[in-house]
Amino acid sequence: MFAGRRLAAKTAIAATTVVAAGMGAATLQSRRADNEVRTVGLRKTAATALPSRSELLERVAKTAEFDVLVIGGGATGTGCAVDGATRGLNVALVEMGDFASGTSSKSTKMAHGGVRYLEKAFWELSKAQLDLVIEALNERAHMLHTAPHLCKVLPIMIPVYNYWQVPYFYAGCKMYDLFAGSQNLKSSYLVSAGRAGEIAPMLDASKLKAGLVYHDGSFNDSRMNSTLAVTAVERGATVLNYMEVSQLLKNERTGKVEGAITRDRETGKEYRVRAKVVVNATGPFSDRILQMDADPNGKANDTLVAHANEDNDSIGSRVAVANPRMVVPSAGVHVVLPSFYCPKEMGLLDAKTSDGRVMFFLPWQGKVLAGTTDIPMKQVPENPTATEADIQDILKELQHYIKFPVKRSDVLSAWAGIRPLVRDPRKLKEGEAGSTQGLVRSHFLFTSDNGLVTIAGGKWTTYREMAEETMNEVVKLGQFNAKPCITRKLKLAGAENWDPNFAALLAQEYHLSSKMAEHLANNYGTRAPIICEMLMEEERNKLPVTFGGRENVTVYGNVDFDSFRYPFTIAELKYSIKYEYTRTALDFLMRRTRFAFLDARQALHAVDGTVNIMGDELGWDSEKRKAETENATEFIKTFGV
Ligand SMILES: Cc1cc2nc3c(=O)[nH]c(=O)nc-3n(C[C@H](O)[C@H](O)[C@H](O)COP(=O)(O)OP(=O)(O)OC[C@H]3O[C@@H](n4cnc5c(N)ncnc54)[C@H](O)[C@@H]3O)c2cc1C
């Protein structure tokens, strides 16, 4: 407890220091087209001093009853926490792993309405499908507005190989623009075969007939997720990662859900968290919480899982839900390749792969993200992993496009996520699990007879809308006198006072290279100056995390982050521990930064350094350091390397 207080006090001091440093703000003048000169100040927005983990745990222990308990800290759950907290509700959220450790870090990272869903709407003459596209296009605009540092407009080219497809794709893209209405990002346009070849020299221009360019959003999914968690905490919510719900608490008389027994996975300590309303936002794992809801004692049926795991002890093969009823799981794999596989500023869309899917090749964080597959599964794995066959499948599709040989050795990283397609469990009869009976097109919100609210399905892009609907239901059930929803316009942590020139201002103020300034601005937004102050504070903080804790490294003035391939520094790690609840090496290497997703081999080299720094900051003993190193190494090795 005292250690927690000390950490909180230190955090407060750090934040104050940064505000003070902001007094001598740099200014920048930029000239707009209309010749109006405006002055943009580098306002170093300070992070609010966040409560430490132990303070949050203390809150959990001392609160007799929360208004709402959200189970699951992915996009949906953290979105709910932000919505609830900003309506004035007393919110608790528990996540059994890290924020975005489920599906929410493994998406294609598109904030989109989905051109292929639009195509489907037309072929099926489905108004419902069309409404979903329009809803997602609106939400795309909200994401770009509420987190402009994390979500950017990305042009995407559809290479066209048949003349008859030109009017087809042209009409499709124009419709996409049209249905976005006032939220349209930029007009789509047609380019000649020659121009398409210039834009994307890696394509075989001899076969090209034209190219169609449309626009969508591209974002950093796991950083968006931790940003939502931090925003919720700043708005008063009690949000904890590494807290698992092991049982639901039921009213003995009525059977109504009244909270949950949660276990702190760091210490093993159990907490009984009571809440007026409980929300199940556990994505692919939803059925486990639904089993607890159905059981009079609030327990999940773990017999099948135990049986399935009898011979499974590798990371990739452990089962989390053996007999899903609501979730129809399907695995989607992505691979990351060097930047030369795609234009630097434009994505490519294969509108029809050899087996009729669409596949994206997108510039992402200086690399190329390629995917995805769609592999139906009977059980929900704890940690889905990409198989060699999945990787080869994507490379094979890519080779249809790319002029030069596509090489397996170019794969820098590969991972899998579970797409939680959902069906209404109330419409299923006994023994129907596994069928596609009652499939829901988008997200699915329902309240059980015991009062448990479940929200599942949908897309990352629609997380805000899903959260708003869920909290409307919570307000109704709890009969709360809540404020209206404000999340359409709410700037998330790091988006306050954002300016597109923020990277330039950082570079000037802190004498950073453009690469480093852009990295910090595009990942931390207006919180980046806090990291810059840490870089200035201590020379060693400028080193990449790979060098963390190595005593024999001498830092010379000219050796810093720019001397290395990846800009993830010790300062960034220290920031993420203090301000973003980083608790394990994997949290940092996979989700606060995307190191392991971008280059798994290089990330493996950074495990020791990350563990050393974290061990010093969090007071880990040698046993804990060893376990952390082994766990992170074993996990990253499943990333296709
Ligand atoms: C391959 C793929 C590509 C995709 N691409 C896109 C895209 O480009 N754009 C888009 O908009 N959408 C995309 N999606 C969809 C999007 O990623 C998901 O809709 C979204 O991430 C789901 O978020 P969630 O919070 O519902 O689930 P999750 O992110 O899985 O979160 C659920 C959380 O609940 C936690 N949990 C489970 N059980 C417990 C428990 N007992 N106690 C506490 N916590 C628990 C889990 O640890 C997990 O973190 C894609 C999905 C896939 C699979």
Side-chain angles (χ1 to χ4, degrees), residues 265-538:
R265 289 179 77 173
E266 292 191 354
T267 60
K269 189 173 168 189
E270 283 194 346
Y271 296 79
R272 296 171 86 83
V273 186
R274 295 203 171 269
K276 292 195 181 78
V277 185
V278 177
V279 174
N280 171 15
T282 54
F285 308 92
S286 299
D287 283 290
R288 190 150 187 275
I289 304 295
L290 287 172
Q291 285 170 14
M292 296 180 191
D293 180 53
D295 180 65
N297 298 315
K299 291 187 177 167
N301 176 2
D302 285 336
T303 324
L304 278 176
V305 173
H307 181 64
N309 284 334
E310 258 164 22
D311 300 320
N312 285 340
D313 55 3
S314 73
I315 287 180
S317 59
R318 279 198 299 266
V319 171
V321 184
N323 55 338
R325 275 174 63 79
M326 183 182 84
V327 172
V328 185
S330 124
V333 170
H334 289 93
V335 303
V336 168
L337 296 156
S339 59
F340 52 76
Y341 274 93
C342 174
K344 299 264 182 303
E345 308 283 341
M346 195 179 281
L348 298 172
L349 168 63
D350 178 354
K352 221 166 204 73
T353 60
S354 44
D355 59 356
R357 285 173 290 127
V358 298
M359 201 163 277
F360 286 100
F361 308 103
L362 306 171
W364 185 68
Q365 307 258 323
K367 298 278 188 287
V368 172
L369 175 65
T372 175
T373 56
D374 194 353
I375 307 144
M377 306 191 92
K378 286 204 163 57
Q379 299 173 319
V380 180
E382 211 172 277
N383 293 299
T385 48
T387 64
E388 188 54 34
D390 300 328
I391 297 170
Q392 292 297 342
D393 181 36
I394 295 174
L395 297 184
K396 204 172 87 202
E397 285 305 330
L398 194 53
Q399 189 64 83
H400 292 151
Y401 273 77
I402 301 287
K403 257 200 280 195
F404 52 82
V406 174
K407 294 197 170 164
R408 174 64 176 90
S409 55
D410 284 340
V411 174
L412 298 167
S413 182
W415 72 88
I418 299 296
R419 214 174 268 107
L421 205 59
V422 283
R423 67 194 152 201
D424 188 340
R426 295 165 302 186
K427 291 187 181 158
L428 286 177
K429 296 190 196 83
E430 211 43 54
E432 265 184 355
S435 82
T436 49
Q437 193 78 17
L439 266 185
V440 179
R441 282 170 190 280
S442 169
H443 59 267
F444 180 50
L445 171 69
F446 81 102
T447 303
S448 74
D449 294 343
N450 298 326
L452 175 75
V453 178
T454 295
I455 173 75
K459 296 200 282 190
W460 231 120
T461 312
T462 55
Y463 85 88
R464 195 212 59 80
E465 168 79 27
M466 290 163 70
E468 182 178 348
E469 280 180 33
T470 308
M471 283 301 134
N472 287 344
E473 175 71 1
V474 165
V475 167
K476 200 174 80 191
L477 287 173
Q479 298 178 338
F480 299 118
N481 185 15
K483 292 183 225 159
C485 172
I486 57 162
T487 53
R488 271 194 183 86
K489 295 268 176 276
L490 181 80
K491 295 282 186 190
L492 302 183
E496 316 91 340
N497 303 322
W498 168 256
D499 185 282
N501 293 306
F502 205 76
L505 296 167
L506 281 181
Q508 289 175 338
E509 175 82 353
Y510 292 101
H511 310 292
L512 302 176
S513 68
S514 303
K515 180 181 159 192
M516 189 60 177
E518 270 161 31
H519 166 68
L520 292 177
N522 292 337
N523 282 287
Y524 301 90
T526 49
R527 304 292 165 98
I530 302 175
I531 300 176
C532 296
E533 293 293 328
M534 289 174 161
L535 289 172
M536 300 302 126
E537 228 167 68
E538 209 184 309

Side-chain angles (χ1 to χ4, degrees), residues 72 74-76 95-96 103-104 107-108 110 245 284 419 458-461:
T76 312
E95 160 56 51
M96 72 174 175
T103 303
S104 295
S107 76
T108 313
M110 299 286 298
V245 166
R419 214 174 268 107
K459 296 200 282 190
W460 231 120
T461 312

